[in-house]
Structures are given as structure tokens and as C-alpha cells.
Amino acid sequence: MTEPTLPAEPPAGFPGGPGLFRLDPGVAHLNHGSFGAVPVPVQEAQAALRAEAHADPDAFFLAVPDRLAAARTRIAAHLGADPDGIAFIANATEGANLALDAIPLDDGDEILVTDHGYGTVVAAAARRAPVTTVALDPGLPDEDAVRETVLAALTPRTRVAVLDHVSSPTARLIAGPRLLADLAARGITTVVDGAHAPGMLAEPLAGGADFWFGNLHKWGYAPPGSGILAVAPQHRGRIRALVPSWEDQHGFPRSVENRATADYTGWLAAPEGLDLQQRLGADRVRAHNSALAAHGAALLAQIPGLAALPHTPGLAMRTLRLPPGVAQTQDGARALREELAARLRVRVLIWAWPGAGGIRICGQIYNRPGEYERLAAALPDYLR
């Protein structure tokens, strides 16, 4: 499925959306998917927790394990998860390393990854075993084509598949329920990078992966450094914290969460983000963000040389291929991204791909249609 050639009807502004954030109003923040943004109520909740920690450090830190368990229970309710089967982590890369270190592998075993995978997650896989990289053409038309391509790349030595839930550069669903079921039927352990799933997908854990990890600080409105690792029951006993702690005696998830005198306030405030989304109407937020991203993509698709890539309906990110020769290297992608930020004051993701790179835009409740119109009007000058 591709974007329409004419602009979609822009959604009305989300009531009160911009007022929930402290973003620079002079910048068009169209790159929510990279770092997220923290709403003011969540910032205030974290500030109150920090004040509490400073007022009585002993009381605060001694209570952290139980308070994290309570926060975990709140997060689990939003994700449809078992509170004892998830653990707070710093980010998706940490989740990848914890998961892969828990999988027993023999000499000759291989891990399957895709060329859409996030660099540090792929590196974590390569650290454990030889990897087979599946080339997924960004132009594959739908989820079935992605599924068939992944399954065709399996070999007799494949033991693990590390797949994006929603791919970062191309903004499409890869690890869908059918693909995960097919891999499980073949005895393949599945490790799913759900960095973009919490808050953007209604049921991020519905696929039943063996290991799944996601960031809460992107679409879940949590403070930076907030993520979740979900582990199927049969694997939990093999999870080992990257650094031993006094909570090791309790096993997963407490052993993973304990970081001595670390700053736990982001994790403790993280449920406030998903609670806020629920109060705003989670389905309404997701529909608005998806429609806004679709509107922006339709505008950009009118620029000569840009081509909308197939996408997964309902996501709040869209990607278009840039003209041939543009951003085909990491340095070229970085230069274009920074030029747009410095001169146009627009934040987008530019990603490199052989032959031609891509541009990814996002929709969030603080965005307005005029920001995408500003980008579409000026972008041709930066592509010449």
C-alpha cells in the first residue's frame, strides 16, 4: 500500500496537544520516533520523585524495589503483559543484549537479522553468533511479502531470529503475529525489537515472541532511558543481569532492574506517560498521529523524485525514498538532516540506503499540518 498522490485531508489539531509539551515552538519537531518527547505532567512527576529522593535518600532507595514492582504492574496493564514477566531496562539495546545472552547456542548455530535492524541490536546479535542478514527491499508491498522473504532466508543452522516489530528507518511492521507463529513452528527462538511499539500499537505483545523489548520514552511519553523487556516464562530463569546486584537472589525481573544508587525516577514516572495517553484517549491519539503522518507523506510525495514507500496502516511514521544519489551514505544522510535542522528548523530522520536514502516523518499530538507544508515547500531546494 502506498500513500495517495494528492494530499490527504489534514486532521484538526489535537486539543491541548502542544500545551502538554515544552518543545521549542520555532522548530518543527517531525522526528518524534527518534527520541520522543516528555509531556509536562510526566516531567513534573519525575521532578517530584527526584525531590523525594533528595529529601530522604535512605527511605527512597530502600523502597525502590517494591515501588518498581508497582510501577511495573501499571505498565503491564497498558501493554497486556504479565507484571512478573517484564522488567524495566534503559533502552532497546540493553534488552537485546539481555535476551541474546539468555539463549543457549552451540557452535555452528546462526542468528537471522534483517538489513532494517537497528545497528546496535544487530551488533548484539553478531557478538553472540554468526549472523545471516536478510535483505528486505523497502518496496516490498505488504506484510505477507516481508514474511515470505524472511522465511525463505532460514537455513538449517538458524536458531534465533532478531526482528523489528516496527522498523526504525522504513516505518513498517516486520515481526507480525503470522511470521512469529511460523518461526515458532520451526523451532526458531524469536527476539523482537519493539522500540517503537509501546504507545503506538494497541497490543504490542500480542505476537507472542520469546523475547520482546521496547522503549517507553518514544511513543509512551515516558522520561528518557525508560524501556521494558518482556520474557516468555520458559526463558526467565536464564536471564542474567548485565551487572550483578543484591537483587540477584530474587531473579528476573528484580535482578535486572537493580542498579544500586542509580536514578530510578524515570522508571517510577514512566507509568504516568501511558496513563496520560489513556486519559487523552489512546485510540484517538493513535488515529490522529497516523492521519497526520499520512498527510505529511502525501505532501512530500508530490515533490519530484520522492517516492512513498509501502507502509503499515495505522502507524504514526511514514517514509519516502529520496531522489537517486541523495543520502546514499551515512555521511550524506547526516549532512542533509543537519542542514534541514539548521536552515529550515525542521527535525526529520534521514537514513542512508545504497543508491538513494530516505526521509522519515512522524505525527504527534503537538504537530500541526502547517509544519509538514513548510517542509514540503522548502525541501526541493535542499535536494538539488
Side-chain angles (χ1 to χ4, degrees):
M1 180 176 179
T2 58
E3 296 292 357
T5 56
L6 295 175
E9 183 68 22
F14 199 96
L20 286 170
F21 297 82
R22 290 183 174 135
L23 294 166
D24 182 346
V27 176
H29 301 273
L30 307 183
N31 188 29
H32 186 91
S34 283
F35 304 105
V38 186
V40 172
V42 182
Q43 294 181 38
E44 292 174 343
Q46 186 179 22
L49 287 161
R50 283 181 171 150
E52 183 184 340
H54 291 313
D56 192 343
D58 283 52
F60 180 84
F61 283 105
L62 290 172
V64 157
D66 289 339
R67 293 180 72 171
L68 285 177
R72 225 190 302 121
T73 298
R74 291 170 63 189
I75 294 292
H78 287 290
L79 302 183
D82 172 6
D84 294 325
I86 63 174
F88 282 110
I89 54 175
N91 51 47
T93 301
E94 181 183 347
N97 282 275
L98 285 164
L100 289 161
D101 284 350
I103 301 172
L105 294 172
D106 296 326
D107 290 343
D109 289 346
E110 294 181 354
I111 298 175
L112 181 142
V113 301
T114 81
D115 58 356
H116 291 229
Y118 194 72
T120 56
V121 172
V122 172
R127 185 173 64 87
R128 285 287 282 119
V131 299
T132 297
T133 302
V134 184
L136 293 178
D137 187 327
L140 287 172
D142 53 32
E143 187 180 335
D144 283 339
V146 170
R147 170 178 158 271
E148 291 167 5
T149 303
V150 170
L151 294 177
L154 298 174
T155 76
R157 295 183 297 277
T158 306
R159 294 292 176 268
V160 181
V162 179
L163 303 169
D164 288 275
H165 200 159
V166 175
S167 62
S168 179
T170 47
R172 65 185 303 170
L173 188 140
I174 292 177
R178 286 189 65 198
L179 176 54
L180 292 176
D182 286 338
L183 291 168
R186 290 162 170 78
I188 306 298
T189 301
T190 51
V191 178
V192 174
D193 178 357
H196 291 278
M200 187 161 64
L201 299 182
E203 298 179 328
L205 296 178
D210 291 290
F211 300 88
W212 179 99
F213 44 85
N215 291 325
L216 299 171
H217 59 254
K218 292 181 183 285
W219 303 93
Y221 297 156
S226 303
I228 284 292
L229 169 66
V231 182
Q234 66 269 28
H235 302 294
R236 292 172 192 169
R238 292 196 302 272
I239 291 286
R240 294 291 178 267
L242 300 178
V243 178
S245 76
W246 293 112
E247 293 295 314
D248 279 3
Q249 60 182 318
H250 297 290
F252 183 85
R254 287 171 69 136
S255 60
V256 169
E257 294 171 339
N258 190 273
R259 312 291 170 93
T261 49
D263 184 353
Y264 295 96
T265 59
W267 293 355
L268 293 174
E272 300 293 336
L274 289 172
D275 285 353
L276 172 62
Q277 188 188 68
Q278 196 66 39
R279 291 196 299 274
L280 294 172
D283 290 340
R284 179 168 165 245
V285 168
R286 285 189 281 267
H288 172 273
N289 293 346
S290 177
L292 198 54
H295 170 69
L299 292 174
L300 295 182
Q302 296 182 90
I303 299 174
L306 264 66
L309 291 177
H311 70 279
T312 302
L315 300 186
M317 306 190 293
R318 298 288 189 273
T319 297
L320 297 91
R321 287 295 292 265
L322 292 167
V326 177
Q328 59 184 350
T329 66
Q330 293 291 348
D331 287 343
R334 188 180 304 110
L336 178 57
R337 180 195 70 202
E338 293 308 316
E339 187 175 18
L340 293 173
R343 297 190 179 185
L344 193 57
R345 303 208 76 194
V346 172
R347 292 286 185 185
V348 295
L349 176 70
I350 305 293
W351 51 274
W353 202 268
I359 179 171
R360 188 194 73 190
I361 58 172
C362 303
Q364 190 48 264
I365 61 173
Y366 52 72
N367 290 128
R368 290 292 182 265
E371 295 174 314
Y372 304 90
E373 295 158 11
R374 173 172 141 204
L375 172 62
L379 186 58
D381 289 338
Y382 294 88
L383 301 179
R384 293 191 180 105

